[in-house]
Amino acid sequence: MKRRGKLAAVGVIVALCGLAVAWDWWTHRQAPGDAALAGALPTAVQAEALVPYVNPAARYTVVHFWATWCPPCMVEMPNVLAALKVLPPEVAVTMVSLDNPSPSAFYTKEQIRLTERAESLVSWVDDPEQVRAKAILGKVMLPTTLIVDGVTGRIVQQVDGPLSWEPLLGALAKLD
Amino acid sequence: MTPPRYRNVLMTLWRHATGVPMVIAVLLALMVMISLGTIAQAHMPLVVAQQLYFNSLVFWAGGWLPLPGGGLLLMYLAFSLTVQMVRQPFSSSSAGSWLTHAGVLLLIVSGLVANYAMQSGYVVGTTGVATRLWQEEGLTETAPPSAWPVLGFLPFTITVDEFIHRDHPGTNIPAYFASRLTIVPDGGQPWHTAVRMNEPVRLMGYTIYQASYIKPEQGAPISILAVVKDDSRLLPYLATGVIGLGLLMHILLRQRRFWKRTLAAVLLVGAMAAPVAQAQDNGWTAARLDVLAHLPVQHQGRVKPLLTVASTVVPFVTGEQAPLDEEMALLAQWLFNPGMLTSTPLLTLDGALIQELGVAPKAAYTVTELVEALMPRQAELQALEQVPAAKLSGPQAKLMQVQERVEVVLSVARTFALLQPLMEVKEPLAAKLGVAEGFVNAAQVLEHREMLVELAKQKDAQALELVMQLRMRQPEQPNGLLRLVVPPPQDTNAWASPWLAARSTLAGDQAKAFGLWQTLVMAQPVVADEVLAGLRDVGALHTNRYALAIEVFTLRYPLVSLSVLPMLVGLLALAAPKRWRMRRVVTLGALGGLALLSLGIAARMYILSRPPVATLYESVIFVAWGSVLLGLLFRKSSSALLPAALASGVGLVMVSHGLTQGTDTMGMLMAVLNTNFWLATHVLTITGGYAASILVGGVALWAQVQRTIIRSGTTAQAKTHTVLRHLSVVALLLVAVGTLLGGIWASQSWGRFWGWDPKENGALVLTLWLAVCAHIRLLKPFPVAEWLAVSALTPVVVALSWFGVNLLSVGLHSYGFTDQMAGGLTVFCSAAVMVVGSLWVLDKVFQTKEPQA
């Protein structure tokens, strides 16, 4: 008798759990299921301007706009360089400098030594007249970073302002 | 097979591991660990304290002594609860207890599951920017939100279309904030929705809460949304339900007679909460001041009678308490005759400040004297303004306070500066300004300022003087301290100060009220009576006239503080010899006190239209009310109950009086507290639990006295013990359920059920303490002396978890931080421990001398 009572009590609790879960599912079922990761579709102008910046070998390309005359960019730079050394293989990075003239002196001075693997994933590009930058971003505010899906060509995320690079690249590597 | 000798050892071990003494020891250890972790939060971040004390398996005390950590203790509790559930018979009498234990087990398990199943982060919502970054919260001071570390990418983008936030008018206390969002799931349709405090949005297994906001130096505020993915979020809700049900069944099935009375008490509490769900010498006679005292004004975000302003602002400025009528007269002087501030010495300073400021020692100083004394210190004062209040040294804080007092009194004096007569204007200037010949004020000529400047350039002597006079009033520095002009119909919260009103276009009642104030200021004593009557009538259209009258009444006759008198009479009557037959006086005293407290609380509820438990002050008077009510209801069960209730009532009302000297106790609430539902359920339950816990202490103390000093008969003792047993279960029910309801509220508005916040920990420690009280009785042989001593110490735990955590000044429950009572708390706790301890020692001595059968 006592045993049955205990079983009944456990049964009631379990039934309540089930009921609550079902109720929760029912009231929030309007949410769509797991669809493929998409992101904003770039406009034709954006897409065209992005073509040379996107690395077809990588799953995602991070396009980072910076300049030596932009103080927050230079504050962020050591953080970027450290993250580039441990770049996950799925992610490529394109560093777009908007300096005029080109800051190639900066690259040499900083003596960026990357491993051979990372070298193929990281490219340094100059856009002194800000032609492509304006086509892609519209209004240019530095630093700005775009994450582009290499397969679909969609812009997954745009971030205005400095970033914590290592966690960001880690999260990208884990994405699907 | 294990050899029999080892089996015996194993059996002994098992018995010890699952025995009651071990459970009690673990509960006590958990209390200690939680208390240590809470105190540690004062000097380390919450996350670190949580890892070190609450989640850890081993805690290294001093770096070398291994102690069981919070995680290990909780695991042991889960183990022992499982054993208990298998062992305990499930009969009608024990079903409640069984269910309670099952609920606690479920709760611990859900905490464990949440560690793995829950992930929480933030979304930085810049207006108009789509984002799917899920970030950890960083420090806004050191890193811009874009640099907060990324946890991952959400399967949808969130765009904050609009961030709405409103402060209580005239303050920096957020009253409400919300975000309108567009959420686009991958491959789905855009969804337009909104999140507010206490109202999250759920989709795809994520819950999105409005957490906070950042005001950048330039640009629009950034909305911070908490995004939590928690597959186990229903478990704690269920556990709460099971625990509540179990404790209720325990009381219902085991203690029927007791239950009936408790039901009566609960109904009474419910009935109280239910309606909520929705200047003489210059013409200022006493009668006129009385009308003025009743006029509504919006000050610090709340519409209140002017008398309330007088009762808080005047003592703050002068540094001295005075009779209310004098304070009102003084406020009227400051408002209508500000010149007196330069001539009449009013502001008192203490000895240290007199020395610090280097002024000649006097009883009181004029404002001018203080301004002159503060002038050379301006650079220092400006630097101090940047320092957080908690970090100021004693003399620095005092210096800042003098500065603040001067600023407040000058603000009050400037209230009508635009309305006071500037000078007499004659034709032809009067015609140009569109006014009649005679005195004009700044408000009348403000819009003609440019024309006046032009005229002054053309050497118009009158215009020149008017421009000079106008400049002295500094019309570009607005003053919004006292908002005396009624609001426009479209926004009933937008009361205007005379400054704001003078600079905007008014219509309807607003224009009328402003006109009346203008007449009053320009021609004070002549027409005062009619004008004041007019102002009263206009004000009555926009406020609840009864609420204002009640507030003025409670200021003049502070019901809550007055309730001490009948209760003190009752306590004195207790001390009288038995043959005087004073029992009735005791009951009457308690009844009188209860009536006054009820009236006082009801008045507050009516004025503020919310449950009376949102601030520390309110919770103190509510607990006083609750304990006196319980004491009266159960006075026949034990002779100790009513005295204990009276003593706690008197003590708490006195504490509340000390807490609020010279402040407006009806302040506005932080946004998260702005919900009557949770105030009514969580806070009423938990404060009711505090009241019951204090009574537990009183009754236990009485039982100790009975055993050791009076040495009353066994029947009398047994009667007291029964009451104590029942009362502690009720206290446990209220405190436990109240704490868990708090968890649910937190889960609704902050996105997590439990966050190891000091106030939460305080309530948890009290719950554990009451659980210890309940479990000591299971020990064999039953240690009566220890049980009584532990129960008698309950009020100490209540005091520490209720007031003590406020002293830490950390955490989310920042509604009642105060450090003036640290001394009182220490005295109370040490006195209580000493009394209870010595009674316990006495008890032990008697027991060894004459062992009981």
Side-chain angles (χ1 to χ4, degrees), chain B residues 20 69 86 164 196 203 232 246 256 351 385 411 657 671 726 734 773 807 826:
Chain B
V20 180
V86 176
I164 308 145
R196 323 186 162 79
L203 93 156
S232 67
R256 280 191 193 133
E385 264 171 36
S411 280
H657 190 76
H726 291 171
L734 291 173
C773 290
L807 298 177
T826 321

Side-chain angles (χ1 to χ4, degrees), chain A residues 2 5-6 9-10 17 20 24 28 30-33 35-39 147 156-157 159-164 167-168 171-172 175, chain B residues 85-86 88-90 98-99 102 130-133 144 146-153 185-187 191 202-204 233-234 238 242:
Chain A
K2 280 172 184 171
K6 204 184 283 187
V10 171
C17 283
D24 191 55
H28 299 108
Q30 86 279 15
L37 184 80
I147 299 167
V156 177
Q157 176 75 48
V159 190
D160 297 325
L163 293 167
S164 288
L168 177 82
L172 261 185
L175 198 61
Chain B
M85 307 219 9
V86 176
Q88 196 179 10
F90 191 83
W98 192 88
L99 268 183
T131 183
R132 61 173 68 221
L133 284 188
S146 67
W148 293 356
V150 177
L151 289 171
F153 290 82
D186 287 336
W191 180 29
R202 298 204 166 86
L203 93 156
M204 300 170 81
R233 68 187 177 77
L234 289 173
L238 267 173
V242 173

Side-chain angles (χ1 to χ4, degrees), chain B residues 4 42 382 468 507 572 633 636 656:
Chain B
Q382 264 170 19
M468 300 299 286
L572 284 179
L633 281 175
K636 297 240 169 85
S656 77

